[in-house]
Amino acid sequence: MSEPILSADGLHITYGHVEAVRNVSLEVHPGTLVTLVGANGAGKTSVLNALSGLQRPRRGTIKFKGNDITRWPAHRLVKAGLVQVPEGREILGTLTVAENLTLGGWHRGNSLRRNVDRMYERFPVLEERKKLQAGALSGGEQQMLAIARALVAEPEVLLLDEPSMGLAPKIVNEVFTVIEQIRHTGTTVVLVEQNAKRALAAADYGYVMETGEVSYSGAGQELLANESIIEAYLGIS
Ligand code: ATP
C-alpha cells in the first residue's frame, strides 16, 4: 500500500482545561476520500483544524508528504497543497464572487487566472454570478463558492468541514456529487460530516469519533453496514 499523504499520530487537543481530543491517530492515503464522523462535539472539527494548521495540538505529530508539519502555520500548508474549506464556509460576503475566488489563489501567480476560469467552467452558476456580492448567493451557491475558492489553490489534499450543513436535501446531493468528482480527479479529500451515512457511503475509509477519541475505523462501506455502530455512535438508524 502507498505511504499516507497525510497522517496524525497521538493527537491531543485542549481548550483551556477542556480536553477535546485524546490520542487520535489517522492515515490518509493519496487519492482517497477519508471521512471523520461522530456526534456534535466529538472533536471532528478540532482534528481537522489541527491538520490544516488552524489549531495547534497539545501533543502528537502530523505529517504531510513526509514532512513533520505539526508546527507549520496554515498559510504555509496552503502553499504546500493542504487546503481547508472551513465550517460555515467563511465566504467574504461584501466581496464579489470573482474576488472571493481570486483570494483562494493568492500564491498561485501566473496560474491564478487559469485556475479561476476552470472554476467557472466547473461551476457555471459562479460565472453567472461573478460580479455579485458573495453574500447575495444562496447557501448552496456559497458552499460551491467556498469549495471552488479552495480548488483555486490547487490542493493535493482538500479538507472539508461540514459542507452539507444547513442545506436543503437536493443541494446536499449536489454538494456530495461535487465532492465525489473532486476525489475522482485525483485530489485526496478529508471530509468531516454530521451526515454520517452519506459521508460513509462516499468514503474509502472512515473514522468514527466519540467524545474526543476514535472509537471505530474501517472501510466506509464496512462501517456503514455495521448497524450497531450507526445506532450507538452516530445517533441514527
Ligand atoms: P460539531 O459538529 O458540533 O462542530 P465536532 O465533533 O466538530 O462538533 P469540535 O468542534 O471539535 O467537535 O469540539 C470538540 C469539543 O471541544 C467540544 O466539547 C467543544 O465544546 C469543545 N471546543 C471546541 N472549540 C472550542 C473552543 N474554541 N473553546 C473551548 N472549547 C471548544
Side-chain angles (χ1 to χ4, degrees):
M1 202 181 201
S2 59
E3 285 291 299
I5 187 168
L6 178 67
S7 62
D9 186 27
L11 283 189
H12 288 254
I13 300 169
T14 53
Y15 302 101
H17 296 296
V18 178
E19 205 177 27
V21 171
R22 285 184 306 281
N23 201 27
V24 165
S25 299
L26 54 85
E27 287 190 349
V28 179
H29 289 270
T32 61
L33 195 164
V34 171
T35 190
L36 267 64
V37 294
N40 259 337
K44 307 178 299 295
T45 294
S46 300
V47 170
L48 206 69
N49 286 347
L51 295 176
S52 66
L54 295 174
Q55 176 67 47
R56 187 64 58 84
R58 191 176 180 87
R59 275 192 279 146
T61 310
I62 303 171
K63 286 191 175 165
F64 177 53
K65 294 192 286 186
N67 297 308
D68 182 339
I69 58 156
T70 317
R71 302 197 164 273
W72 288 25
H75 64 86
R76 186 173 174 199
L77 289 169
V78 169
K79 280 190 175 172
L82 188 61
V83 181
Q84 181 169 0
V85 179
E87 189 172 353
R89 295 151 203 152
E90 295 190 13
I91 288 302
L92 299 169
T94 57
L95 298 187
T96 64
V97 167
E99 286 164 342
N100 270 277
L101 285 176
T102 303
L103 284 175
W106 51 273
H107 57 299
R108 281 292 163 207
N110 291 339
S111 50
L112 173 60
R113 182 73 257 153
R114 190 190 64 217
N115 291 359
V116 170
D117 285 342
R118 277 196 190 139
M119 289 307 121
Y120 289 144
E121 281 165 30
R122 193 157 180 178
F123 303 97
V125 70
L126 297 182
E127 177 153 44
E128 281 164 30
R129 310 229 191 298
K130 67 182 177 188
K131 292 186 179 148
L132 285 186
Q133 284 195 338
L137 302 184
S138 69
E141 290 165 352
Q142 288 191 16
Q143 185 59 64
M144 295 305 179
L145 176 57
I147 292 172
R149 184 179 58 182
L151 293 177
V152 168
E154 294 178 47
E156 283 177 67
V157 177
L158 182 68
L159 309 172
L160 292 157
D161 196 355
E162 302 274 7
S164 76
M165 190 165 61
L167 301 178
K170 181 173 167 283
I171 313 296
V172 171
N173 286 339
E174 288 175 19
V175 168
F176 270 94
T177 301
V178 166
I179 294 168
E180 284 166 23
Q181 284 167 352
I182 292 168
R183 176 221 184 282
H184 281 121
T185 58
T187 304
T188 307
V189 178
V190 181
L191 171 66
V192 159
E193 258 295 335
Q194 289 274 329
N195 195 335
K197 277 193 166 175
R198 198 66 207 263
L200 289 172
D204 297 290
Y205 204 81
Y207 292 88
V208 181
M209 288 194 68
E210 190 194 20
T211 57
E213 293 176 280
V214 172
S215 47
Y216 281 96
S217 63
Q221 294 297 336
E222 224 170 82
L223 295 175
L224 197 58
N226 187 328
E227 285 297 327
S228 56
I229 290 180
I230 296 285
E231 283 169 26
Y233 292 95
L234 306 174
I236 50 175
S237 58

